[in-house]
Amino acid sequence: MATLVPLGTAATFGVLANTAVTNTGPTVVTGDLGVSPAGAVTGFGPGGGTVTGTIHVNDAVAAQAQTDLLAGYANALVQPVTATVPTELGGTTLTPGVYNSASGTFGLNGTLTLDAQGNPNAVFIFKTNTTLITGATGNVNLINQAKSANVFWQVGSSATLGIGSTLRGSILAFTSITATTGAIVDGRLLALGAAVTLDTNTITVPALSTCSVVVQPVAGPVVVGQPTPVTALVTCNGLPVSGASVTFNGGAAPVPATTNGSGIATGFLTFNTAGPATVTATVTAAGTGCACTGVVSAPLPITVTPQTGPLSASPACWRVNLPFPIPSLFVATLTATLTPAQAGVTVTFYVSGLPVGTAVTNAAGVATLNAGLSILQISASTYTAVATVGGVTVQATNTLRPCFPPA
């Protein structure tokens, strides 16, 4: 099931770029416009485009929006695919879900109809490995309470919107976005790596008026009798809600928590029985203009396992390899522990079935590896540690997810 992609402060931007925002003609951006970390904005002002919000050029607001955009891009990237559909989306009708194509790209020539089936909170996510290209006849039609605010296009490289086409939803492009003459966007154009180019366009940030509560993937394994950390993100109009009271359910007893400045609430649930279970989060109080109180998240399915063997792996999260992404674009700290502790044991770590490095346990039985990961490897939701103890091969698996907030 698709869940709302958190955009944080990037939610107020109609246009956001890394290197430049370039405009030709009387473009109208209803919302903010920005560039960061070292770009320029041209083509706005007398005789050019207009922005109803604020233009942010290489300032702290634009920098934070880029950071939040990266977290949102990562969230969309790892959401499980509901179905693989043809590359050409025109002439089709789709219900809520997460979609990709076998070719790794999407084209839109004709009308794509998104049917929310009467659910105003229904989410649609389209994921491409490379490009999104719309033709002059490209159009997205929303029916049965579908909303542009709940449509997301995660683009692996660049997006191009054809002359006069109409797109609904937010484009989250890893590289660049080009909107050709007269293209209309009921959503956002957000580029992580390069420029956004505009030409006589209309870009309108969709109105958000409801509270969203999303339980984040559980940093497993979830083991019988052991407290398990669970987190939930609470947003109002796409922005994090601080100080909201949240109650987690699904374990042996409900657990209360309070959201931090990033809108994240963290609690610890204990499960007494092995097998399938679900985790939900309910907002019990929130001092915002949104109707947050009483909002319940979608249930997150988990599997509770019996007590583990001699080797265990810790939850890990990946982040951008800053300040310079060399030699790997992303990095994660992978950890495995031998019980009872034993020093000098070599542990090999795997992501997507491929080795990413080895580490040797210390006196406490802990092996730690700072592993460089590619953009394809970060789509994995787990990693595995393998070691040989007493002539027997043992292994353990745990979660691999984006760091939130990103480090």
Side-chain angles (χ1 to χ4, degrees):
M1 179 183 68
T3 59
L4 196 67
V5 175
L7 294 178
T9 60
T12 67
F13 283 78
V15 177
L16 180 64
N18 178 292
T19 58
V21 177
T22 303
N23 174 60
T24 301
T27 291
V28 177
V29 178
T30 303
D32 295 333
L33 180 147
V35 63
S36 178
V41 174
T42 58
F44 289 89
T50 59
V51 177
T52 65
T54 303
I55 296 177
H56 296 276
V57 181
N58 307 320
D59 62 9
V61 174
Q64 184 60 53
Q66 277 284 1
T67 298
D68 292 344
L69 172 59
L70 176 61
Y73 183 93
N75 177 282
L77 183 68
V78 300
Q79 290 206 32
V81 172
T82 302
T84 297
V85 296
T87 297
E88 175 54 51
L89 293 172
T92 63
T93 298
L94 296 174
T95 54
V98 181
Y99 298 95
N100 67 2
S101 71
S103 67
T105 185
F106 276 126
L108 179 59
N109 297 276
T111 298
L112 165 65
T113 301
L114 302 182
D115 183 358
Q117 301 180 313
N119 179 8
N121 297 316
V123 176
F124 301 81
I125 298 176
F126 297 88
K127 301 168 62 165
T128 79
N129 292 333
T130 53
T131 59
L132 166 67
I133 301 175
T134 72
T137 59
N139 176 56
V140 178
N141 185 34
L142 306 178
I143 63 173
N144 294 329
Q145 299 193 59
K147 296 180 179 179
S148 296
N150 297 339
V151 179
F152 301 91
W153 304 83
Q154 178 261 308
V155 179
S157 59
S158 298
T160 301
L161 306 183
I163 295 174
S165 62
T166 299
L167 186 93
R168 303 186 192 279
S170 298
I171 297 178
L172 285 61
F174 194 74
T175 307
S176 64
I177 303 172
T178 299
T180 58
T181 307
I184 298 171
V185 179
D186 182 15
R188 307 173 181 89
L189 302 180
L190 309 175
L192 275 168
V196 175
T197 303
L198 307 171
D199 183 355
T200 315
N201 308 118
T202 300
I203 302 159
T204 305
V205 174
L208 299 174
S209 60
T210 58
C211 183
S212 171
V213 185
V214 180
V215 178
Q216 307 296 297
V218 172
V222 182
V223 180
V224 169
Q226 296 184 5
T228 299
V230 289
T231 59
L233 171 65
V234 181
T235 58
C236 170
N237 292 340
L239 299 176
V241 177
S242 175
S245 299
V246 175
T247 298
F248 292 99
N249 290 284
V255 174
T258 302
T259 58
N260 61 17
S262 298
I264 293 290
T266 302
F268 291 84
L269 287 176
T270 300
F271 299 85
N272 295 335
T273 305
T278 59
V279 176
T280 60
T282 302
V283 180
T284 57
T288 71
C290 287
C292 282
T293 300
V295 173
V296 183
S297 71
L300 177 72
I302 61 170
T303 300
V304 183
T305 61
Q307 295 290 332
T308 58
L311 184 68
S312 62
S314 300
C317 64
W318 55 262
R319 60 192 184 279
V320 178
N321 192 13
L322 297 175
F324 303 105
I326 299 174
S328 301
L329 185 59
F330 303 91
V331 66
T333 301
L334 311 181
T335 307
T337 304
L338 278 176
T339 306
Q342 182 178 341
V345 175
T346 299
V347 179
T348 303
F349 294 91
Y350 296 81
V351 176
S352 298
L354 299 175
V356 294
T358 62
V360 177
T361 58
N362 59 19
V366 178
T368 302
L369 174 70
N370 287 321
L373 303 177
S374 67
I375 190 171
L376 294 178
Q377 287 174 314
I378 65 171
S379 63
S381 59
T382 62
Y383 75 96
T384 299
V386 178
T388 300
V389 182
V392 177
T393 299
V394 293
Q395 68 178 47
T397 300
N398 212 318
T399 56
L400 179 64
R401 59 185 180 84
C403 296
F404 196 93

